[in-house]
Amino acid sequence: MADRPIDLPVEILLCILDNIQTVTVGDVTHTRERDLASSALVCKLWNEVATECLWRELPSALCLLCLLGEMTYGEPDGWNYTTAINKPNADRFRHLATRVLRLSHSNATRWKMAESSRINIEAIQAAFSWFSLQTHCDTLLPRVKTISWAAHDSYPSSQLPYFISSCLQSLSFTRISFWLYENPRGELERGIDIFTSLIKKQCQLKHLVFGIPWSLFDSSALKATYLEFASTQTRLRSIDIRDWIDESLVRSMVGASTTLVSLGCWVRGGEVGTFGRTIYALSTGFDVLRDLNLYVTGGEVTDEDFKQFMQLRSLRRITLSTLGFPRLEEADVEAMSRAWSDIEEFVVKQRGFVAANPHRLSILSAFARWMGSNLQILELDLDATAEPPPVAADSFKFVKLRELRIGQLSRAPPDPDEAVTEYLRSLSLGGQSSFKLVVGVSVFDAVDGWRKVRSSFERGNIGVEEAN
């Protein structure tokens, strides 16, 4: 056993220092970075371990690039070197680059006196040329496992591939555009470069987020490269592609069919067979898929579409955003309970100023009856005027519900300060709501009756929250 803190074994010391967090005590804030820097001054061993912890996660690629020389910001290309690479600094760069495990970079973040962290491609290429010559590495970050790169509204050159390593497990790349008619040709080519780099370096990702203002379908070369990349992946657990997928893209992910747990994407509705074929492809191979977040474009989800959707038997958390959705009856909820026996979250968002088919308020009783033992989050667009609020039977309660979200209301409910409130109360065990009622801001602003519901709930110490 160590007699002094400086004699602790390296493994224990690493665990202790790696768990240092930024905390505020009174008016004093102790930052993780400052405490680790102080720890590095204790002795040689502590310096090595504290440096390891301090450089494991970079908040910007500029933290590392600035070690090689003085940099200044210039429009439109961003930060670039004003001096030649300095040898002592370069040795430090080489030492610290191998420590980085996580990189988060956002072009929209301020850096020093500039409004942007955008980096000139010449600076990245200069750093890479020197580093690869010294180490024979094909990346600036040989051990990086997680990269989050927010290009914001500018990604003028293929920067990300210079940071991708064969160790990479999690990648998030996002790019937005403020110009509807911006020519995407160059941007799509740089998307090709990202996936080509992932293929070349034989990366096996576990998590992927990829979002650009355009679509994979806008470039046959980009789609083909993505299909090739997807076909090489055998460990993917989550994908948020923020783009349309079709049957071909689903089939390309066959290597991840036994590992993919979470999928977020767009699916085209309103086209004959497109939605059904895509869902069928998911239902015939992806047996461990638990979380599915679909943004349906171009049309409504029909009854037949939803029946096909229920063939995805492994789902536990479901979010559907669509222009229209069939009005659910109790028989539908019963069928859902058979299809998804372990469901925890069911969310249907009907986009538009007014929901096309709001569900009757009484459908909540059906959810309590058939899914009440598992559901933790339920969100529906409700119509509280179609019928008098029913009284839920004592045996049908929500046992685990944490949030009941009300998306839209067609009109104010009748007798809102009593009937609706008591009905919602009755859905929870013992009449005491264990769940939080989440009602859209527009509902509270537009419907005076729901203000009374909120007031009544709050008087009974029941949480009510406004949501955007």
Side-chain angles (χ1 to χ4, degrees):
M1 181 178 294
D3 296 324
R4 301 175 301 167
I6 60 173
D7 297 326
L8 287 171
V10 174
E11 295 80 6
I12 296 178
L13 184 59
L14 180 62
C15 183
I16 293 172
L17 296 186
D18 203 31
N19 279 280
I20 292 178
Q21 303 296 330
T22 298
V23 296
T24 300
V25 180
D27 296 331
V28 180
T29 298
H30 299 271
T31 65
R32 169 181 166 83
E33 292 77 12
R34 182 174 296 177
D35 287 346
L36 285 173
S38 298
S39 300
L41 301 177
V42 174
C43 64
K44 185 176 180 180
L45 174 61
W46 278 52
N47 179 279
E48 185 70 18
V49 176
T51 300
E52 176 86 14
C53 296
L54 190 61
W55 284 87
R56 277 186 176 184
E57 183 168 352
L58 290 186
S60 170
L62 288 166
C63 295
L64 194 64
L65 294 175
C66 283
L67 295 178
L68 292 179
E70 182 179 345
M71 301 184 77
T72 57
Y73 183 82
E75 290 288 355
D77 298 319
W79 290 92
N80 200 358
Y81 292 114
T82 56
T83 60
I85 291 177
N86 182 279
K87 181 64 167 61
N89 289 344
D91 289 340
R92 188 163 180 246
F93 178 99
R94 182 171 55 188
H95 175 71
L96 295 175
T98 60
R99 300 289 195 271
V100 180
L101 300 182
R102 296 179 292 273
L103 168 64
S104 299
H105 184 86
S106 172
N107 282 349
T109 302
R110 289 179 58 90
W111 182 262
K112 295 183 178 180
M113 300 302 293
E115 295 291 333
S116 172
S117 292
R118 188 165 61 251
I119 306 172
N120 192 314
I121 188 61
E122 294 180 359
I124 295 176
Q125 290 173 337
F128 177 77
S129 296
W130 178 88
F131 189 70
S132 60
L133 183 64
Q134 297 292 317
T135 63
H136 304 290
C137 287
D138 60 355
T139 174
L140 286 167
L141 303 175
R143 294 176 58 206
V144 69
K145 294 183 177 181
T146 301
I147 295 179
S148 175
W149 195 284
H152 198 57
D153 63 342
S154 177
Y155 187 64
S157 53
S158 295
Q159 302 168 342
L160 183 56
Y162 289 97
F163 297 91
I164 292 175
S165 82
S166 59
C167 300
L168 193 66
Q169 297 179 2
S170 178
L171 173 63
S172 173
F173 176 83
T174 55
R175 160 80 160 89
I176 63 173
S177 175
F178 297 113
W179 307 100
L180 294 177
Y181 303 104
E182 187 174 349
N183 184 355
R185 181 180 298 277
E187 302 282 350
L188 295 174
E189 291 176 354
R190 288 185 275 278
I192 295 173
D193 293 340
I194 293 173
F195 290 113
T196 299
S197 179
L198 292 169
I199 296 169
K200 181 180 178 181
K201 296 177 182 179
Q202 299 181 341
C203 298
Q204 284 293 325
L205 299 186
K206 293 183 178 180
H207 309 283
L208 172 66
V209 176
F210 186 77
I212 58 177
W214 307 281
S215 171
L216 298 173
F217 293 85
D218 289 335
S219 165
S220 58
L222 177 56
K223 182 180 178 182
T225 307
Y226 176 80
L227 288 174
E228 182 183 355
F229 156 77
S231 68
T232 66
Q233 300 302 295
T234 60
R235 300 177 186 174
L236 272 171
R237 292 183 56 82
S238 67
I239 299 176
D240 182 359
I241 196 172
R242 305 180 189 182
D243 198 350
W244 288 286
I245 68 167
D246 60 8
E247 184 180 9
S248 65
L249 265 68
V250 174
R251 299 295 185 193
S252 73
M253 300 187 296
V254 64
S257 61
T258 59
T259 62
L260 190 64
V261 175
S262 177
L263 175 62
C265 58
W266 301 354
V267 177
R268 296 183 189 273
E271 298 182 9
V272 178
T274 301
F275 183 92
R277 287 194 300 270
T278 304
I279 298 302
Y280 178 76
L282 283 171
S283 66
T284 54
F286 295 82
D287 297 331
V288 298
L289 188 62
R290 299 288 185 265
D291 302 353
L292 186 57
N293 188 331
L294 288 186
Y295 189 95
V296 183
T297 66
E300 300 182 355
V301 174
T302 65
D303 286 300
E304 289 302 314
D305 289 337
F306 192 59
K307 288 178 182 177
Q308 181 69 58
F309 190 78
M310 282 192 283
Q311 298 305 309
L312 290 164
R313 303 284 182 169
S314 60
L315 296 181
R316 294 185 181 179
R317 288 166 289 276
I318 300 166
T319 298
L320 288 171
S321 177
T322 176
L323 292 173
F325 189 83
R327 176 174 287 186
L328 294 173
E329 304 293 342
E330 180 160 354
D332 300 315
V333 180
E334 181 182 0
M336 290 163 55
S337 70
R338 291 196 300 267
W340 304 312
S341 57
D342 297 319
I343 191 166
E344 299 172 3
E345 182 173 339
F346 184 73
V347 174
V348 176
K349 301 178 180 180
Q350 298 187 61
R351 305 190 303 275
F353 185 73
V354 177
N357 296 304
H359 307 281
R360 287 188 290 270
L361 189 65
S362 61
I363 198 64
L364 296 179
S365 296
F367 277 96
R369 176 179 182 179
W370 296 105
M371 298 182 176
S373 60
N374 293 319
L375 266 181
Q376 298 179 27
I377 295 177
L378 175 62
E379 178 173 346
L380 294 170
D381 299 295
L382 296 173
D383 182 357
T385 64
E387 58 190 3
V391 176
D394 291 340
S395 58
F396 304 143
K397 306 291 184 181
F398 287 112
V399 178
K400 298 181 180 179
L401 195 67
R402 292 185 287 110
E403 291 187 10
L404 175 61
R405 304 173 183 168
I406 298 173
Q408 294 185 21
L409 288 169
S410 58
R411 289 176 296 178
D415 302 320
D417 53 340
E418 294 185 8
V420 173
T421 304
E422 290 308 311
Y423 171 61
L424 294 176
R425 285 178 188 273
S426 71
L427 293 170
S428 61
L429 285 174
Q432 297 298 315
S433 178
S434 59
F435 58 80
K436 176 172 61 178
L437 182 66
V438 182
V439 184
V441 174
S442 60
V443 172
F444 279 132
D445 288 344
V447 183
D448 183 66
W450 281 91
R451 292 195 186 95
K452 298 178 181 179
V453 171
R454 175 181 184 174
S455 177
S456 178
F457 265 69
E458 290 177 335
R459 285 199 303 270
N461 296 318
I462 296 171
V464 181
E465 180 181 298
E466 295 183 18
N468 293 320

